[in-house]
Amino acid sequence: MIGLRRRLVGALSALLIAGPGQPAFAAGRDLVVFAAASLKNALDDALELWQQNGSAPVVVSYAGSSTLARQLSMGAPADLFISADEAWMQVLRDERRLQAGSERLLLGNRLALIATTGAAVPADLLPPRPGMPLRAALGEAGRFALADPRHVPAGRYARAALEHLQVWAAVQSGSRR
């Protein structure tokens, strides 16, 4: 978490050094940050550190990356956009809504399979085993939660992993083999 906070504070610092046009603090206004909702806890912690150091006030709008990108596409003002979705960043690039050379890769994701204590989740899910019964991967309850792959990056990552495991068709149809 400390590394994440440092990177987020660094992004805010970079904005002050090389932000678009006149920096917000020099114009006597708060910095406006649009950030993916998944970053709320980490960014709130980073902003607390940021403001403890006497840095410019920040107003954050949290939402899904797609929602924020659509708002930016329609002209909503923001000094910094922290997206969780590369596809929406590409939309803004294509529309020339981003300042050239201002993009930075700050964070990454890892996919994790989390099970209840005592669940019999096989440790050898990779490489994929054709015909692997889905129930063997899900345990006795046979249930799991997944972000919507049509709208959320984490859902797309999960779908790609399940396709790699050759069980996506069973998941998509609601099958519990």
Side-chain angles (χ1 to χ4, degrees):
M1 182 66 88
I2 292 172
L4 175 60
R5 279 186 275 182
R6 283 188 187 141
R7 283 182 274 186
L8 292 171
V9 169
L12 291 169
S13 299
L15 172 67
L16 291 176
I17 295 166
Q22 184 181 28
F25 70 96
R29 64 176 179 82
D30 296 346
L31 290 170
V32 176
V33 176
F34 281 17
S38 59
L39 293 174
K40 182 170 181 12
N41 294 340
L43 187 54
D44 284 350
D45 288 349
L47 289 173
E48 185 177 320
L49 291 173
W50 170 260
Q51 293 183 343
Q52 283 174 3
N53 292 326
S55 300
V58 178
V59 175
V60 183
S61 177
Y62 292 107
S65 295
S66 60
T67 299
L68 297 171
R70 281 191 218 101
Q71 291 175 1
L72 291 167
S73 183
M74 295 176 71
D79 297 299
L80 181 63
F81 175 45
I82 306 174
S83 176
D85 192 336
E86 173 60 30
W88 281 103
M89 290 298 291
Q90 187 60 50
V91 168
L92 294 175
R93 264 186 231 107
D94 293 346
E95 294 178 353
R96 300 189 191 284
R97 292 287 182 175
L98 304 176
Q99 180 182 0
S102 67
E103 293 177 60
R104 302 290 181 272
L105 180 60
L106 297 174
L107 311 165
N109 286 312
R110 290 195 178 157
L111 190 61
L113 175 62
I114 301 170
T116 59
T117 302
V121 178
D124 62 344
L125 287 175
L126 296 175
R129 295 174 288 158
M132 177 182 76
L134 185 57
R135 180 167 299 283
L138 298 178
E140 265 319 294
R143 300 184 327 195
F144 69 100
L146 174 67
D148 189 339
R150 295 170 297 172
H151 304 289
V152 182
R156 287 193 292 278
Y157 308 149
R159 177 182 177 161
L162 292 168
E163 286 173 342
H164 182 75
L165 294 169
Q166 301 175 1
V167 296
W168 175 249
V171 170
Q172 191 176 23
S173 69
S175 170
R176 292 188 179 171
R177 293 185 276 177

